[in-house]
Amino acid sequence: MLNLIIFGPPGAGKGTQAELLTKKYNLAHLSSGDILRQARDSVRFGEKIKKYQDSGKLVPDSLVIEMVEIQAEKNISQGLIFDGYPRNLKQARSLTKFFKKNKTTLTTVINLRLSETLAIQRIIKRGKTSGRSDDKLSTIKNRFKVYRAQTAPLLEYYHTQKKLITVDGRADITTVLNKVQDKIKSLMKK
Ligand code: AMP
């Protein structure tokens, strides 16, 4: 059973790689950003989610954790790839408990590494076609601030658990994918 987290700053290519890995290993793709964007139509939470997403701040844990874990639980037997989740220590700890409760384990965290300058260039390019209201410079800057303060510390959390693999995220899509697959293959041999 493969359970993966694809990790990295905004613009690292997490969504793209997660899509490809989903097909390759027949996983369930759990993008917290997508799950939240879909919930923007909801009468109860829509306005709140929109406010946080449009400012680049993290949506409160009380909302995100439950929404993601419900989807994860539904797909637990298939193997999971988390994309954009966890984004802070509280979410990461909850996910650790989630795996334990479901008698399964996290295989590995794949960290896509690249400079902030390159990541910002990519998001601005994506913004031209994504239609995402948060792909604009003022929000992007905030998303990086949030990444540095709240999300990047998870690298240490997973490194300590010996669950962290880092791949050079600067290369083109296929090169990155091949490197990720090589790493997964060598893990599965162990
Ligand atoms: P993404 O699609 O992953 O780039 O996420 C877009 C936005 O959705 C973020 O800037 C946050 O406002 C929100 N979001 C996505 N994932 C999370 C998460 N795990 N925790 C809190 N907020 C999130």
Side-chain angles (χ1 to χ4, degrees):
M1 176 68 61
L2 210 51
N3 290 310
L4 306 172
I5 293 172
I6 189 107
F7 194 90
K14 298 187 294 293
T16 306
Q17 293 298 326
E19 278 292 331
L20 296 166
L21 293 165
T22 295
K23 290 202 187 99
K24 167 83 190 167
Y25 297 106
N26 187 31
L27 302 170
H29 181 188
L30 299 171
S31 157
S32 49
D34 284 349
I35 291 172
L36 290 164
R37 273 185 289 277
Q38 279 156 19
R40 283 165 72 141
D41 294 334
S42 112
V43 178
R44 256 180 95 193
F45 308 119
E47 276 308 308
K48 194 168 180 188
I49 292 172
K50 187 170 169 2
K51 191 182 90 197
Y52 283 100
Q53 283 193 319
D54 286 350
S55 69
K57 283 190 200 150
L58 294 188
V59 173
D61 291 329
S62 54
L63 265 181
V64 185
I65 293 177
E66 193 181 342
M67 282 178 149
V68 173
E69 290 189 0
I70 285 173
Q71 292 301 321
E73 197 151 9
K74 275 189 197 157
N75 293 286
I76 192 84
S77 59
Q78 192 178 351
L80 311 169
I81 180 162
F82 292 90
D83 157 16
Y85 190 91
R87 283 272 230 286
N88 63 24
L89 209 52
K90 182 149 188 222
Q91 294 175 13
R93 289 195 178 119
S94 180
L95 189 59
T96 302
K97 275 194 214 135
F98 169 86
F99 283 126
K100 209 169 171 188
K101 196 174 77 199
N102 285 282
K103 300 192 171 34
T104 184
T105 52
L106 172 65
T107 312
T108 194
V109 179
I110 302 149
N111 173 36
L112 303 177
R113 184 163 57 196
L114 81 173
S115 72
E116 198 167 310
T117 314
L118 178 57
I120 290 176
Q121 281 169 9
R122 284 188 183 174
I123 303 177
I124 290 173
K125 201 168 154 202
R126 175 175 80 188
K128 294 188 178 136
T129 54
S130 70
R132 275 178 55 172
S133 49
D134 59 345
D135 281 349
K136 55 174 192 282
L137 198 59
S138 54
T139 310
I140 295 169
K141 295 261 182 213
N142 218 358
R143 285 159 68 197
F144 272 94
K145 232 192 250 169
V146 169
Y147 174 78
R148 281 194 300 264
Q150 300 189 53
T151 310
L154 296 186
L155 291 169
E156 186 60 35
Y157 178 80
Y158 288 117
H159 174 72
T160 308
Q161 295 184 14
K162 300 197 167 44
K163 295 278 189 191
L164 190 68
I165 285 174
T166 294
V167 169
D168 185 346
R170 292 172 303 179
D172 61 274
I173 294 170
T174 316
T175 308
V176 174
L177 181 67
N178 287 337
K179 282 190 188 156
V180 170
Q181 283 184 4
D182 286 347
K183 302 259 190 191
I184 293 174
K185 258 183 235 156
S186 65
L187 267 181
M188 295 200 319
K189 270 189 217 142
K190 278 182 192 164

